[in-house]
Amino acid sequence: MGNVIQEGILWQSVLGEIELSISRASFVTWFKNTHLIKHKDGVVVVGVPNVFIKQQLERKFNDLIVDTLKKNGLSEVIVEYKIQAVDKDRTRQKEEIIILSDQPAQRQRSRVSSLSHQYRQGLNERYTFDNFIVGAGNELAYAACQAIVASPGKKYNPLFLYGGVGIGKTHLIQAVGNAVLKKNPDARIVYASTEQFVQEFVDALRFKKNTDFAGFYRGADVLIVDDVQFLAGKEKIQEEFFHTFNALHQANKQIIISSDKPPREIPTLEERLRSRFVWGMSIDMQNPDFETRCAIIQTKAEIHGLELTSDVTEYLANYVQTNIRELEGALNQLLAFCEMRELEPTLEVTTSLLGGNKSRPKHASPRQVIEKTARYFQISVEDIIGSKRDKDIVVPRQIAMYILRSELHLSFPKIARELGKKDHTTAIHSIEKIEKEIVLDSSIKTAIAKIKERLYV
Ligand code: ADP
Ligand code: MG
């Protein structure tokens, strides 16, 4: 197996993960035209199109890149960024990026948003129905999505899909957009993460372009809004969303929404939005069962031209039990590892790479979450579950609550009890606060990612 292929797979898998962890606009701006030049002696050299991107990757994204490389089997690496010319057909995009990068951060973002203001924005062709494996946990959601493609706006409107992290929500709702577009290339499809919706709304207010913003979203034939839980606590934006929703719904345009929890559990979601979200159909996407996980692994391995033996497939399916993104991550890690060392992916290689015979714990306990959070912030467990109000302690406490919610799906009262609080509204407010800050503050985002990672080793 040649070097180029190895590096291609590795970088592809790194980009794939990064794409899912930052906003679409950031990904397109900073990562889309990067490639791996070489990886040798613990140094990974990444080719970038220009000096602005180089600086941004060095300053802002280096940790994320190193962490993601680590997840893909490369620990202890140093990453260097090298400016390298890009293909001709990429030049136009490069120019846009240079224009953007010349401006202060806030302006940049608004330029990205307005540039991407084209219908069909945000759709990623890699998410299709063809490469979505249907199994016990997702068949209902799959069927509803197919019905929508057959007649958008008619049957389930809105469709509200909810379920845990990495379970295929984004994949499915993107597949709807892609399939509708294939049937009708003129269809106006808008896919937006809630983060993006929020950002564009803020920009529209700031630059007094409110009508553009409203008109754009209200002009959609199919509006797909991902991770709507992030609307929690944002009153102004909820109001805007409410009007967009009504305008589209009245015009029989299709609305598809995803969330990590059902509408009734999204804290501080206005009642009128909550009630509209359940007007159509809401579907709970469940964890994939063992057979589905095996099928996913086999299919994804085949895409890389590899057939895995059943013992390796089953090992992987037991290794990651709920999150399909992590399942893919483990598989990619194995494939990259084998390619780099020119090994066959046998059970022995797999177990030695992924942690010997000790399989990964199915669930972390609440206590582990609290301990790992305390350790990450170098404070004591007593402090984190105590009543001190210092900022150095309050923020870690809020983060622990957030992780208890997002990873362990504990109820608010239970979260409050775990942290020695009597009143569960404290938990609700803390979690909301972190949900907001995770978007704005990259150190919080990194902390959460690192703690989660340490939970499962
Ligand atoms: P979510 O939005 O629920 O967090 P994603 O849709 O981002 O999850 O899925 C995570 C990863 O797992 C994606 O790469 C996606 O393509 C893949 N995936 C999820 N479910 C399936 C499935 N049923 N078949 C194939 N791939 C899947
Ligand atoms: Mg998603």
Side-chain angles (χ1 to χ4, degrees):
M1 280 179 270
N3 247 352
V4 179
I5 298 176
Q6 293 168 12
E7 291 170 351
I9 287 194
L10 173 70
W11 194 240
Q12 239 180 351
S13 126
V14 167
L15 287 183
E17 271 181 52
I18 291 178
E19 185 174 3
L20 295 166
S21 67
I22 62 178
S23 74
R24 176 83 195 147
S26 299
F27 181 79
V28 171
T29 312
W30 308 118
F31 286 92
K32 205 165 171 215
N33 289 331
T34 61
H35 59 281
L36 194 62
I37 299 177
K38 67 173 179 195
H39 160 229
K40 212 175 159 203
D41 306 327
V43 180
V44 169
V45 183
V46 178
V48 297
N50 62 54
V51 65
F52 302 109
I53 294 185
K54 178 171 186 285
Q55 285 173 352
Q56 193 72 6
L57 293 183
E58 280 168 352
R59 289 183 195 155
K60 220 175 132 196
F61 294 106
N62 193 53
D63 281 355
L64 175 66
I65 294 169
V66 170
D67 281 353
T68 316
L69 280 165
K70 203 186 273 174
K71 276 200 222 152
N72 284 276
L74 296 190
S75 45
E76 309 297 326
V77 287
I78 295 172
V79 184
E80 287 171 4
Y81 304 90
K82 193 170 163 199
I83 299 166
Q84 219 177 47
V86 287
D87 302 343
K88 275 222 186 69
D89 61 351
R90 288 178 174 167
T91 315
R92 203 180 54 83
Q93 190 159 16
K94 184 181 134 196
E95 281 163 4
E96 283 175 4
I97 289 167
I98 293 177
I99 300 168
L100 298 175
S101 309
D102 256 333
Q103 309 176 8
Q106 284 304 335
R107 295 273 322 271
Q108 261 180 42
R109 250 186 294 186
S110 81
R111 280 298 304 268
V112 172
S113 336
S114 60
L115 277 176
S116 56
H117 258 188
Q118 298 158 351
Y119 291 106
R120 81 172 54 187
Q121 74 164 21
L123 284 184
N124 183 337
E125 288 165 6
R126 106 180 159 90
Y127 296 120
T128 63
F129 286 119
D130 290 344
N131 61 13
F132 187 84
I133 312 292
V134 185
N138 60 30
E139 58 194 356
L140 202 58
Y142 179 84
C145 285
Q146 293 252 303
I148 286 175
V149 175
S151 49
K154 298 262 160 54
K155 213 159 179 188
Y156 307 122
N157 205 12
L159 175 67
F160 190 100
L161 285 189
Y162 65 95
V165 180
I167 219 166
K169 302 183 294 294
T170 298
H171 188 136
L172 256 189
I173 60 184
Q174 284 251 352
V176 175
N178 284 318
V180 171
L181 206 53
K182 200 163 166 196
K183 260 179 69 176
N184 173 10
D186 295 327
R188 289 180 293 185
I189 316 282
V190 177
Y191 167 92
S193 64
T194 298
E195 191 188 349
Q196 181 186 338
F197 187 82
V198 169
Q199 185 60 49
E200 292 188 358
F201 178 71
V202 172
D203 286 347
L205 286 187
R206 186 171 301 140
F207 301 110
K208 311 250 178 316
K209 289 200 166 166
N210 219 349
T211 45
D212 284 8
F213 169 82
F216 174 71
Y217 282 95
R218 288 173 206 181
D221 296 321
V222 179
L223 174 66
I224 306 170
V225 181
D226 207 351
D227 288 322
V228 88
Q229 71 273 8
F230 292 125
L231 281 182
K234 303 186 174 82
E235 281 159 33
K236 268 249 144 45
I237 291 160
Q238 288 190 21
E239 189 182 330
E240 177 62 35
F241 194 74
F242 177 78
H243 293 306
T244 305
F245 184 104
N246 284 344
L248 289 171
H249 198 270
Q250 269 162 21
N252 292 324
K253 303 298 187 186
Q254 179 70 47
I255 303 159
I256 304 173
I257 301 161
S258 87
S259 164
D260 68 352
K261 38 180 136 21
R264 73 187 124 78
E265 281 179 28
I266 304 178
T268 64
L269 182 67
E270 266 190 75
E271 193 47 45
R272 56 182 185 171
L273 262 184
R274 200 186 304 269
S275 69
R276 274 175 178 59
F277 284 173
V278 295
W279 266 1
M281 169 99 157
S282 26
I283 298 178
D284 181 3
M285 286 181 75
Q286 310 266 345
N287 293 340
D289 59 8
F290 180 73
E291 282 71 26
T292 312
R293 297 198 300 277
C294 288
I296 290 173
I297 294 163
Q298 270 161 353
T299 314
K300 305 231 160 180
E302 273 167 27
I303 295 173
H304 291 288
L306 260 174
E307 212 174 303
L308 293 180
T309 56
S310 58
D311 52 356
V312 170
T313 307
E314 285 170 16
Y315 179 88
L316 287 169
N318 279 320
Y319 179 75
V320 180
Q321 307 210 346
T322 56
N323 184 331
I324 298 171
R325 184 177 305 136
E326 286 182 7
L327 190 63
E328 278 186 336
L331 175 68
N332 286 338
Q333 202 176 322
L334 175 67
L335 297 183
F337 183 82
C338 289
E339 288 215 17
M340 249 175 280
R341 291 173 178 68
E342 305 202 346
L343 295 169
E344 285 295 315
T346 61
L347 184 61
E348 206 186 343
V349 170
T350 311
T351 50
S352 75
L353 174 71
L354 297 176
N357 290 323
K358 48 178 193 322
S359 80
R360 171 192 166 118
K362 253 191 249 171
H363 297 293
S365 68
R367 182 75 189 177
Q368 282 168 318
V369 171
I370 292 168
E371 280 172 6
K372 302 258 165 161
T373 310
R375 195 170 313 151
Y376 179 86
F377 288 102
Q378 304 185 334
I379 59 175
S380 69
V381 171
E382 289 69 48
D383 277 343
I384 206 171
I385 61 177
S387 53
K388 282 195 195 149
R389 303 284 315 148
D390 316 24
K391 187 158 187 265
D392 299 0
I393 292 171
V394 171
V395 173
R397 188 179 293 145
Q398 291 169 335
I399 288 181
M401 291 190 188
Y402 173 85
I403 298 176
L404 287 172
R405 182 74 186 170
S406 62
E407 286 291 291
L408 272 54
H409 306 292
L410 299 189
S411 68
F412 295 117
K414 178 120 179 48
I415 292 171
R417 276 199 301 280
E418 290 293 341
L419 283 135
K421 303 280 164 296
K422 288 199 194 76
D423 182 2
H424 77 279
T425 55
T426 317
I428 296 180
H429 293 312
S430 301
I431 292 162
E432 272 173 32
K433 181 157 170 281
I434 299 299
E435 278 174 348
K436 270 188 228 160
E437 288 190 355
I438 209 170
V439 183
L440 305 170
D441 183 341
S442 66
S443 69
I444 290 199
K445 190 169 176 175
T446 312
I448 292 171
K450 293 231 157 102
I451 296 164
K452 279 201 218 162
E453 201 176 290
R454 292 175 194 177
L455 273 181
Y456 299 112
V457 289

